[in-house]
Amino acid sequence: MSEPINVVVTGAAGQIAYSLLYQLASGSVFGQNQPINLRLLDLPFAMEPLQGVVMELEDLALPILREVIPTSDPEIAFKDASAAFLVGAMPRKEGMERKDLLSANVKIFKVQGEALDKFARKDVKVLVVGNPANTNALICSHYAPSIPKENFTAMTRLDQNRAQAVLASRLGVQVDKVKNVIIWGNHSSTQYPDASHAIVNDQSVPIAVNDDAWLNGVFVETIQKRGAAVIAARKNSSAMSAANAAADHMRDWFNGTKPGQFISMGVVSDGSYGIPKDIVFSFPVTIKDKTYTIVQGLEINDFAKTKLAITVKELEDERTEAHSVLMP
Ligand code: NAX
């Protein structure tokens, strides 16, 4: 058994955390030989329900779960953290403009970036789930200058999993037979779910589907609007599937991707594929030794170029709005 690592979950009294915490405590993310200390951050008003979550974690009686500390103090939460799931965020309320939503959230992610900078390990791996996830991750990294930018990521794995499931269903195959679907851009309705490089049982997905109009139309829109469809049906946003995707993202980051496989993560752009630097953009990546590399050399056709431009524009607008809130 290794020494325990400190794992932070923010928004720990919320619904995504409720599903995620079991996966962490049961070893499905960091492995059965990696004990963890959980640091559960939420707002002061949520400390009572959070106590209930702590009781349930104790009642799991799971061997790799060591200390559990519920807190509303970022210093306590982020102290010596090796991994951080930033799930807590201000939800969109009725009538709220995007600017108001950004304004509330970038303030939260500024505080958490500063706390990571001061108290976390310098190799901490940060996954931002709370929306607007890409821009929140960007802000967080700006306020944590002592931690490499590569350590800040945003979650688009749920979008990837959704895309994989829709393609598997269309092709009548088991979901794990579909690989290398890409989510480009923002975790929002401007994202571009791209099946053109995906494979199914070693065959190209576009050839297997044999319907480009569907791949460029219904498929793209279904994934872009899937989050809204879940909210319409459940009256609550995706939680079980979001927690599962967060676990997938961090597991792959720690353990690496399989040969020939790539996955999508929101990362600080290095200019690959002509995407402007200094936005957090979802790219296909491979991971080895806890380090991701953006997959290079994929062909981007004219249709894809148009889609990428739309999601780049949205992320640049979000960045401008975020900066105007923080540095008026
Ligand atoms: P909940 O409202 O159930 O829980 C959020 C929790 O965060 C609450 O307990 C709240 O008190 C806490 N919180 C708020 N501000 C905080 C702060 N400054 N510090 C610590 N805790 C704070 O939301 P939930 O369903 O768990 O969703 C959480 C976030 O995930 C939302 O922003 C949601 O939009 C986002 N999602 C992101 C997805 C993605 O793929 N990136 C998909 C699912 C989800 O929509």
Side-chain angles (χ1 to χ4, degrees):
M1 280 267 179
S2 324
E3 282 299 300
I5 56 169
N6 289 358
V7 178
V8 187
V9 178
T10 75
Q15 49 153 6
I16 293 178
Y18 193 73
S19 283
L20 176 61
L21 291 171
Y22 172 72
Q23 302 206 42
L24 297 174
S26 65
S28 110
V29 177
F30 300 105
Q32 298 296 335
N33 293 320
Q34 179 57 69
I36 60 169
N37 297 322
L38 281 176
R39 305 288 185 250
L40 308 180
L41 183 71
D42 210 300
L43 297 173
F45 83 90
M47 287 302 110
E48 196 184 335
L50 190 54
Q51 274 304 337
V53 175
V54 173
M55 286 186 238
E56 286 205 62
L57 282 165
E58 285 166 10
D59 298 348
L60 292 172
L62 286 166
I64 64 154
L65 181 57
R66 301 294 160 85
E67 274 176 16
V68 180
I69 301 183
T71 181
S72 58
D73 179 348
E75 173 170 355
I76 295 173
F78 289 107
K79 184 99 184 86
D80 298 328
S82 290
F85 294 83
L86 306 187
V87 180
M90 166 77 83
R92 191 174 210 132
K93 295 187 186 123
E94 230 178 310
M96 213 178 195
E97 298 289 326
R98 186 175 70 169
K99 193 165 183 152
D100 301 329
L101 182 76
L102 258 164
S103 159
N105 280 297
V106 297
K107 285 179 196 150
I108 294 174
F109 286 85
K110 173 178 187 261
V111 170
Q112 295 187 356
E114 287 167 345
L116 278 157
D117 197 50
K118 276 199 210 135
F119 308 116
R121 286 172 56 110
K122 297 303 169 201
D123 63 355
V124 62
K125 299 204 171 349
V126 181
L127 166 59
V128 178
V129 176
N131 282 319
N134 297 50
T135 299
N136 287 341
L138 183 73
I139 297 304
C140 204
S141 94
H142 276 205
Y143 285 94
S146 69
I147 297 171
K149 280 191 183 338
E150 291 74 28
N151 297 23
F152 292 84
T153 62
M155 187 166 95
T156 51
R157 186 59 173 265
L158 176 55
D159 307 295
Q160 179 196 312
N161 288 347
R162 288 165 172 165
Q164 214 174 309
V166 166
L167 290 173
S169 157
R170 165 87 187 202
L171 292 164
V173 299
Q174 211 172 283
V175 71
D176 57 336
K177 303 295 178 210
V178 176
K179 286 193 294 195
N180 299 355
V181 188
I182 302 169
I183 304 299
W184 299 96
N186 202 1
H187 168 69
S188 77
S189 59
T190 68
Q191 66 176 263
Y192 172 42
D194 176 8
S196 61
H197 305 281
I199 44 179
V200 53
N201 289 328
D202 297 328
Q203 191 191 10
S204 147
V205 162
I207 290 173
V209 170
N210 194 24
D211 186 347
D212 286 349
W214 181 83
L215 281 175
N216 292 341
V218 174
F219 168 69
V220 170
E221 279 164 32
T222 304
I223 306 310
Q224 288 176 333
K225 295 182 183 157
R226 182 68 161 186
V230 170
I231 293 175
R234 216 173 80 86
K235 314 293 176 242
N236 253 321
S237 55
S238 308
M240 176 172 52
S241 56
N244 176 63
D248 286 346
H249 178 120
M250 198 62 94
R251 184 188 307 110
D252 283 348
W253 201 355
F254 271 72
N255 297 328
T257 45
K258 297 188 190 95
Q261 179 203 26
F262 45 78
I263 55 145
S264 293
M265 281 166 74
V267 303
V268 179
S269 170
D270 63 353
S272 293
Y273 296 98
I275 304 302
K277 291 184 181 178
D278 201 32
I279 52 176
V280 169
F281 195 87
S282 180
F283 285 101
V285 302
T286 54
I287 304 170
K288 198 173 173 225
D289 299 331
K290 299 194 169 108
T291 303
Y292 61 77
T293 308
I294 296 174
V295 177
Q296 298 295 326
L298 298 171
E299 194 203 324
I300 308 288
N301 62 24
D302 287 344
F303 176 78
K305 278 184 193 147
T306 322
K307 293 286 180 197
L308 294 192
I310 296 169
T311 196
V312 163
K313 165 88 173 57
E314 183 180 49
L315 283 165
E316 289 183 323
D317 288 350
E318 284 187 15
R319 180 183 58 191
T320 304
E321 284 171 17
H323 284 314
S324 74
V325 170
L326 294 169
M327 292 165 241

